[in-house]
Amino acid sequence: MTDVPLLSRSARIVGLDGPYQLVWREESLPINASPGALICETIVSAISPGTELGAYVGLPPLRDGTGYPRVQGYCNVALVLDAGDGVQGLKPGDRVLSFSSHRSHFQIPAAEVLLRLDPAMDADHIACSYLFHLGYAAVLRAGVRAGARVVVIGMGALGLAAVALAARSGAIVTSVTEHPRAAERAQALGARRVLSRRDTQALAALEADMVITTTNSWNDWEMALCAAAMRGCIAVLGFPGRGEPPPRANPLDARQFYVKQLRIEAVGMAAELPDSRGFLRFNERDNLQWLAGEIHAGRLPAEVLISGRFAAANVEDAYRTLLAREGSPVTFLLQWTK
């Protein structure tokens, strides 16, 4: 009897049907990639704690149309299994970074690949590169310069990334956290000083040129207003007020916002692609290429962000561990292949 060749493969996908309702779905994929596309098998994906935990616990959505059901994750390194007709520069056996969600296999247009990993690059570390990119985009948008006084509030994944990239830009960085382990990580990434939220007078005395906020807390927002210097900038990498009751104080208090003539900037995004004339020099693709090189060279120690690894099947255990905050975890990697 002749074996019948498989015409499709099964993909396992992490989804949410509602708050705390994590589900696994299956989807059939072709064995052979469509023209211009790739079939990939995920090696590792990194949890983006702010986005994923917010959806997991049911915080208000950040955009219209992003309710439930939904997929989770967007930091994915995968192995190319097949390349369709017309694909150039990518072939089976290559490893690629993409915004694909937590899933075992997927088909993706080759044009949506963010980065092809060099053979010597560590897939675990490169899976964290977009988390660093969010911090890098904040530094770029806020106009951080060498010698600037920068305060970063919140030492989760994005706060640590912002510390690392602001320090790399030559800024004098102060991080704000109460957790000793988080303080150690911040200093390892270049923070010159660590203050507690209780150090209100010391924070105000810093007169920061830029304050980067990475939390949802209104209390942290008040702290940012106090820490900013005259004509300073508050770069918002978190979502002030998300999941919180109305603030106790005016978040645009004239004694801070108007008198200091502050600039408030939403940060974290960059142009997706370079343009033909070079006007979009610091775009997502070029930024990630540079960041991956810095991670590979050890100048951005991705291992500082990685608090552990879980088998992909145990993703909900990883979420619960992050929510419990025991040991101040930053993020976890999900391992999909042995």
Side-chain angles (χ1 to χ4, degrees):
M1 181 177 178
T2 304
D3 290 336
V4 178
L6 291 173
L7 299 178
S8 66
R9 70 178 85 240
S10 179
R12 294 177 295 117
I13 303 166
V14 177
L16 280 177
D17 281 349
Y20 300 99
Q21 297 177 35
L22 189 141
V23 295
W24 283 90
R25 296 189 175 88
E26 289 205 4
E27 178 181 286
S28 293
L29 294 175
I31 292 293
N32 300 118
S34 302
L38 305 170
I39 297 289
C40 300
E41 179 181 21
T42 301
I43 301 168
V44 60
S45 55
I47 293 172
S48 178
T51 300
E52 295 185 45
L53 295 181
Y56 181 69
V57 303
L59 292 182
L62 299 177
R63 301 179 181 85
D64 292 337
T66 56
Y68 306 100
R70 58 173 290 150
V71 294
Q72 289 280 83
Y74 56 82
C75 301
N76 184 303
V77 173
L79 178 71
V80 177
L81 300 179
D82 189 59
D85 292 341
V87 172
Q88 297 181 354
L90 293 166
K91 63 185 186 304
D94 285 343
R95 297 174 302 159
V96 294
L97 175 73
S98 76
F99 286 139
S100 298
S101 65
H102 298 314
R103 57 182 66 211
S104 64
H105 299 80
F106 56 91
Q107 179 166 235
I108 185 175
E112 293 183 10
V113 167
L114 301 171
L115 174 75
R116 180 180 68 82
L117 278 66
D118 289 339
M121 286 181 171
D122 186 311
D124 284 9
H125 292 172
I126 301 305
C128 298
S129 57
Y130 193 74
L131 300 178
F132 278 111
H133 183 268
L134 291 168
Y136 186 41
V139 166
L140 292 173
R141 285 284 299 278
V144 173
R145 294 176 289 184
R149 297 184 297 271
V150 174
V151 171
V152 182
I153 300 176
M155 289 297 106
L158 300 191
L160 290 170
V163 165
L165 273 303
R168 286 298 312 278
S169 300
I172 302 164
V173 181
T174 298
S175 67
V176 179
T177 181
E178 287 71 52
H179 304 287
R181 186 72 186 94
E184 291 174 10
R185 295 182 185 121
Q187 290 173 316
L189 290 170
R192 306 255 191 113
R193 188 179 183 186
V194 179
L195 292 176
S196 163
R197 288 172 172 83
R198 296 184 294 273
D199 298 325
T200 53
Q201 291 184 339
L203 282 164
L206 289 173
E207 295 188 338
D209 301 299
M210 291 93 177
V211 181
I212 300 175
T213 66
T214 68
T215 75
N216 301 347
S217 165
W218 282 125
N219 288 336
D220 285 356
W221 182 256
E222 289 183 48
M223 188 186 314
L225 290 171
C226 291
M230 180 72 182
R231 295 184 61 80
C233 173
I234 299 178
V236 185
L237 196 53
F239 307 103
R242 188 185 187 198
E244 290 215 333
R248 64 185 181 185
N250 180 359
L252 295 178
D253 188 334
R255 291 171 297 178
Q256 299 288 353
F257 176 60
Y258 180 77
V259 171
K260 290 182 180 178
Q261 292 289 285
L262 299 180
R263 176 165 60 96
I264 297 174
E265 185 96 28
V267 299
M269 293 186 182
E272 291 184 357
L273 297 164
D275 70 315
S276 60
R277 296 191 296 169
F279 283 93
L280 300 177
R281 166 64 184 87
F282 290 95
N283 60 81
E284 205 167 67
R285 303 294 175 90
D286 288 342
N287 292 351
L288 285 168
Q289 185 75 47
W290 178 74
L291 289 165
E294 295 298 284
I295 291 169
H296 179 56
R299 290 186 286 268
L300 283 177
E303 201 65 34
V304 175
L305 301 188
I306 301 169
S307 298
R309 293 158 173 82
F310 283 77
N314 299 326
V315 57
E316 194 157 22
D317 291 338
Y319 285 170
R320 289 169 177 164
T321 303
L322 286 167
L323 287 169
R325 297 184 180 179
E326 293 181 8
S328 301
V330 181
T331 191
F332 294 114
L333 300 184
L334 302 179
Q335 303 286 356
W336 292 84
T337 57
K338 294 181 180 179

